């Protein structure tokens, strides 16, 4: 007799779980509060959908998850993801190890999921928000559930019976349009699960309002180090994005999980930016000597014209409280060296993150101590928790979608047995 499985949430992990369960013969229903499946998935990777990464290991995830991730990735890793998408008709390509659909469109991935769900006969209910899960004999909306082994899933408008329930409602991260409001935390808390404090992750930061930042948006490859006082919290390299309000870009997002909680506690965190990370001290000293020969009638702005991006130059000039039209011959050598120092050690005081609406994932969530290796809840053999709802978050580069597919596939397979 086939299992009757209800999946709460039609995102990446929920759809993956539904497909694996249905392929094993289960009768599957997805309850999605949006009017579309895969809303957040369609926006990932700037619409290109970074599905996974060939450099896949447990070190790419938060410390609390590392030990468990090693085991989970051994069950369902990157090669399994590639095989899964082949079964959906999605051709994958590698860009320096980052895996994308050849189409370059996240929408084709969502469509492939939808087509497979339809082919398998998975029922999808839109526009309903899950509220609670009750077991046999428990009260639901004042009534007594009939004496069966089934679970009762209550939404804002209906109730559904299920042999198994997979909670894949996602976390708090995402634009308003994704409706990522953390409903699953409330449901899991009612089930007695421990919820670790949540924070935005893979997110940019606003700077202290008194900080002078570029007047226009600009990108620049640099090394960025984050400090709490004198304590180094994280160091990353790559393309930074600057605007009048703050900083973002992949290097900032990679470090954000180690930074956000300190800012939320109002602790002093600052970034040190090196715009010349490929120059060692000796190389940069030689560069300075070459530039100092150009101290003539040209203006400071013209002097720095070929040194770096104009928006970065103007920001540093303003921070030094100097005028762009000052003649170089009137600026002392020591002052010029002070200007150069800003290109290797620009201090930026951070004030807060851009919040969940700009974050790609949520850190924290349902404690992994509440979950068995097969994704079932310790206290409920028929309830599974997957994806972002759990206390698992990875670096940029396909690691979070890998986790969605890993957890979803395991839960969907086990739930159908």
């Amino acid at each position: 007799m086939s299992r009757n499985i209800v999946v709460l949430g039609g995102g990446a992990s929920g759809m993956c779980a539904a497909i694996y369960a249905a392929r094993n013969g289960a009768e599957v229903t997805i309850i999605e509060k949006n009017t579309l499946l895969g809303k957040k998935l369609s926006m990932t990777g700037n619409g290109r959908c970074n599905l996974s990464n060939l450099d896949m290991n447990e070190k790419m995830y938060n410390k609390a998850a590392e030990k468990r991730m090693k085991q989970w990735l051994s069950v369902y890793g990157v090669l399994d993801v590639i095989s899964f998408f082949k079964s959906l008709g999605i051709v994958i390509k590698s860009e320096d190890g980052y895996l994308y659909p050849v189409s370059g469109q996240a929408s084709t991935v969502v469509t492939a999921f939808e087509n497979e769900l339809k082919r398998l006969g998975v029922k999808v209910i839109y526009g309903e928000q899950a509220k609670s899960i009750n077991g046999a004999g428990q009260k639901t909306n004042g009534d007594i559930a009939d004496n069966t082994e089934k679970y009762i899933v209550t939404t804002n408008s209906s109730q559904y019976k299920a042999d198994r329930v997979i909670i894949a409602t996602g976390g708090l991260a995402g634009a308003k349009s994704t409706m990522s409001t953390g409903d699953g935390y409330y449901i899991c808390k009612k089930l007695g699960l421990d919820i670790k404090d949540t924070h935005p992750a893979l997110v940019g930061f606003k700077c202290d309002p008194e900080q002078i930042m570029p007047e226009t948006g600009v990108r620049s490859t640099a090394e960025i180090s984050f400090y709490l006082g004198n304590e180094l919290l994280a160091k990353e390299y790559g393309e930074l994005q600057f605007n009048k309000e703050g900083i973002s870009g992949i290097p900032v997002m990679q470090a954000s999980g180690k930074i956000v909680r300190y800012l939320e506690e109002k602790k002093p965190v600052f970034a040190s930016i090196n715009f010349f990370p490929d120059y060692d001290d000796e190389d940069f000293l030689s560069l300075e000597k070459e530039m100092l020969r150009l101290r003539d009638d040209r203006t400071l702005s013209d002097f720095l014209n070929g040194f770096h991006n104009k928006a970065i130059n103007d920001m540093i000039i303003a921070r030094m409280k100097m005028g762009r039209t000052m003649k170089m011959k009137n600026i002392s050598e020591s002052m010029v060296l002070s200007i150069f120092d800003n290109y290797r050690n620009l201090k930026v005081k951070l004030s807060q993150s851009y919040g969940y609406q700009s974050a790609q994932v949520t850190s924290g969530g349902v404690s992994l101590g509440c979950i068995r290796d097969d994704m079932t809840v310790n206290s409920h053999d028929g309830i599974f928790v997957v994806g972002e709802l759990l206390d698992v978050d990875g670096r940029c580069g396909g690691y979070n979608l890998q986790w969605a597919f890993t957890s979803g596939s395991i839960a969907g397979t086990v739930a159908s047995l």
Side-chain angles (χ1 to χ4, degrees), residues 34 52 92 103 106 115 127 157 270 301 325 337 339 341 352 406 414:
N34 256 304
S52 187
I92 292 178
S103 66
N115 290 342
S157 59
F270 71 91
S301 179
T325 59
L337 293 175
I339 294 171
D341 183 62
Q352 63 187 79
T406 293
V414 174

Side-chain angles (χ1 to χ4, degrees), residues 27-320:
E27 294 180 11
V28 184
T29 298
I30 295 176
I31 299 175
E32 169 55 52
K33 69 177 179 179
N34 256 304
T35 56
L36 297 169
L37 291 173
K39 190 69 180 287
K40 188 174 177 181
L41 180 62
S42 68
M43 301 164 63
T44 60
N46 292 321
R48 295 182 63 218
C49 206
N50 185 186
L51 297 168
S52 187
N53 199 300
L54 293 177
D55 182 18
M56 182 59 59
N57 65 75
E58 70 277 8
K59 297 294 183 183
M60 300 300 179
Y61 295 87
N62 57 309
K63 285 288 185 183
E66 274 188 24
K67 186 176 181 180
R68 302 289 296 277
M69 283 303 305
K70 184 174 183 178
Q71 192 274 330
W72 280 320
L73 289 172
S74 71
V75 173
Y76 195 93
V78 61
L79 296 181
D80 299 291
V81 167
I82 294 172
S83 178
F84 173 63
F85 279 100
K86 282 183 180 178
S87 76
L88 298 181
I90 294 290
V91 181
I92 292 178
K93 65 177 179 179
S94 170
E95 296 181 9
D96 297 323
Y98 295 73
L99 299 182
Y100 296 92
V102 167
S103 66
Q105 296 175 297
S107 59
T108 63
V109 175
V110 175
T111 299
F113 270 114
E114 291 173 332
N115 290 342
E116 183 69 356
L117 291 168
K118 184 177 181 180
R119 185 186 74 80
L120 292 167
V122 174
K123 184 178 180 181
V124 182
I125 297 170
Y126 296 99
E128 290 192 26
Q129 184 175 4
K131 296 293 186 180
S132 64
I133 304 169
N134 297 86
Q138 291 180 303
K139 290 184 178 181
T140 58
N141 288 344
D143 298 324
I144 300 295
D146 53 15
N147 189 25
T148 70
E149 293 301 318
K150 292 184 180 292
Y151 290 95
I152 305 298
V153 175
T154 301
T155 71
N156 58 312
S157 59
S158 303
Q159 288 188 340
Y160 303 88
K161 292 182 180 180
D163 299 311
R164 302 284 187 268
V165 181
I166 300 174
I167 309 174
T169 52
L172 287 161
K176 282 186 178 180
S177 61
T178 66
M179 297 179 71
S180 300
T181 53
D183 308 328
Y185 301 128
Y186 171 76
I187 294 171
C188 290
K189 193 169 185 179
K190 287 184 69 175
L191 291 170
L193 306 188
D194 178 33
I195 312 297
K196 301 296 184 183
D197 289 343
T198 62
H199 306 275
L202 300 188
V203 68
F205 296 105
K206 293 182 180 180
C207 297
D208 187 293
E210 296 182 1
Q211 298 277 286
I212 297 174
M213 298 297 289
E215 289 296 318
T216 58
V218 61
R219 298 169 183 259
S220 178
T221 299
E223 180 181 81
I224 184 166
S225 303
F226 295 89
Y227 292 89
L228 175 64
N230 294 322
E231 179 188 355
L232 177 64
L233 300 175
K235 180 182 287 189
E236 297 287 346
Y237 170 87
E239 186 178 73
L240 303 182
Q241 298 177 25
F242 299 81
N243 58 47
K244 287 189 70 173
E245 195 175 45
I247 57 175
S248 58
I250 289 178
V252 176
M253 292 191 292
Q254 300 286 37
S256 61
K258 301 175 182 177
I259 310 300
V260 170
R261 64 195 64 201
Y262 293 113
L263 291 175
E264 291 179 352
E265 294 169 359
K266 306 300 181 184
K267 292 184 178 179
V269 178
F270 71 91
S272 174
I273 301 170
N274 178 5
F275 292 102
F276 287 85
D278 297 327
Y279 283 68
D280 61 21
D281 291 343
E282 186 176 341
D283 290 336
F284 197 76
L285 180 60
S286 296
L287 178 61
E288 288 177 326
K289 289 179 178 179
E290 292 174 8
M291 291 294 294
L292 285 169
R293 298 192 184 100
L294 304 178
R295 289 171 58 226
D296 49 26
D297 285 335
R298 73 190 71 196
T299 64
L300 177 56
S301 179
D302 288 340
F303 175 76
L304 294 174
N305 177 62
F307 194 69
H308 212 279
N309 181 282
K310 183 179 184 300
I312 300 297
N313 294 340
D314 289 346
M315 172 185 66
I316 289 176
I317 290 172
R319 282 173 169 246
M320 296 290 294

